[in-house]
Amino acid sequence: MYLEFYGLNEKPFNILPDPEFFYLSQWHQQALTHIEYGLMNGDSLILLTGDAGTGKTSIIYKLVVEHSEETIVGVIFNSAVSGDYIVEMILTELEGKLPENPTPASCLDALQQHLLDIYTNSDKRVLLILDEAQNLSDEALEQVRMISNLQAGKDNLISILMVGQTGFRDRLRKARYSQIVQRIVISAHLSRLRKQEVKEYIYYRLRQGGADDPFMVFTENAVAKIYEYSYGIPRNINVLCEGSLVFGFADDIKPVSADVVETFAQERISDGLLPMPESTIPCDKEDVARYIDDLEKRVASLESSMGIVKRTLVKIIKKLKIFSLK
């Protein structure tokens, strides 16, 4: 409804992934480069993490579009499944034939045979993408590790890209996940956009949407306000821009001002609809206790070191006094 008013051909801030509106920040480009290197190298496990809304799903769609000709790509969007069912789901997604009475073991055998057939009869690589990987149970993660071990000679039969939120990386640091961590060769993390990148992101999408002059749609002060309330998260930026365009159109304001953004942002906050990034959300009690324990150990170590330094200085001062009296 605001398109004609702001000189746009289509909505530039749709929250659904759209390759034509995909803005490659430094972090997105870096992540794509790392992932594509891992695919080219045939690495078995690749990790991509980032706060919710930082563009992980956009990267998934871009990978699917750009590598569909030379790569067989399977995507599991719902990773919250049991360890008994994950292999069957992967086999189905990669269009393998299910055993008559599927069990985890029989499905793993069928998957290995299916991957061997692809390896023998095709020049295509196989990529499995596990989205929302932080939801994988320990049993499912173990099955993923076993799948990543499937080889033909020295070649891996499959590359697995695990895509998860920032907390997934913290989870993998625990000792019980050491075996799967050892299989991760390539790792990338999507950081939030910086202030200049938020400005570039907004104006890029406005131009993609048909704006001849993006500065006539959002003022620089409005963009600065969007950066403040979005935490540099692309999904939040889209929500704030879309809502501000609607508010601006309703009040006949062009370009959108900082006051319009402020009004919309405060409404979202009061309704509890403007999420904070994961890294600003308080940790649970177990994580806090572990963090405090670690700090206490560091403080004790520092106190011990300071005691040694103090005693050493006292000895040096005594020697200097004795030397000065001679």
Side-chain angles (χ1 to χ4, degrees), residues 110-257:
L111 177 60
Q112 181 174 19
Q113 187 57 54
H114 180 58
L115 294 174
L116 280 170
D117 291 341
I118 295 172
Y119 178 82
T120 304
N121 303 315
S122 169
D123 57 355
K124 289 190 174 186
R125 296 188 293 266
V126 179
L127 169 64
L128 172 69
I129 302 174
L130 294 172
D131 197 15
E132 301 295 345
Q134 73 277 354
N135 295 329
L136 288 166
S137 65
D138 286 356
E139 294 76 15
L141 266 176
E142 176 58 19
Q143 295 290 350
V144 170
R145 184 192 69 81
M146 292 175 66
I147 293 170
S148 73
N149 285 333
L150 299 178
Q151 293 178 305
K154 295 182 179 181
D155 296 327
N156 292 311
L157 292 175
I158 187 171
S159 292
I160 302 174
L161 172 61
M162 295 191 297
V163 182
Q165 295 186 18
T166 303
F168 184 52
R169 189 177 291 266
D170 297 329
R171 175 185 170 191
L172 291 176
R173 289 193 179 101
K174 296 177 181 178
R176 66 175 177 271
Y177 301 117
S178 60
Q179 285 189 311
I180 194 165
V181 169
Q182 290 166 6
R183 300 284 299 173
I184 299 173
V185 180
I186 299 294
S187 173
H189 182 75
L190 291 181
S191 295
R192 286 170 267 158
L193 301 182
R194 293 164 292 194
K195 189 172 184 178
Q196 181 60 29
E197 290 174 322
V198 170
K199 178 179 177 180
E200 293 171 359
Y201 175 93
I202 292 171
Y203 289 155
Y204 170 80
R205 293 188 71 120
L206 285 172
R207 290 190 182 95
Q208 291 298 102
D212 293 327
D213 185 0
F215 292 92
M216 294 304 296
V217 184
F218 283 96
T219 67
E220 290 204 39
N221 286 337
V223 170
K225 188 65 69 174
I226 290 167
Y227 168 72
E228 175 187 338
Y229 281 112
S230 69
Y231 304 98
I233 295 177
R235 185 183 297 159
N236 285 355
I237 296 171
N238 288 357
V239 169
L240 287 165
C241 286
E242 174 70 13
S244 297
L245 286 171
V246 173
F247 272 41
F249 171 71
D251 291 337
D252 200 28
I253 298 174
K254 184 170 64 173
V256 172
S257 66

Side-chain angles (χ1 to χ4, degrees), residues 38-53:
L39 291 177
M40 182 180 65
N41 203 40
D43 293 329
S44 59
L45 271 181
I46 305 168
L47 177 65
L48 172 64
T49 55
D51 288 339

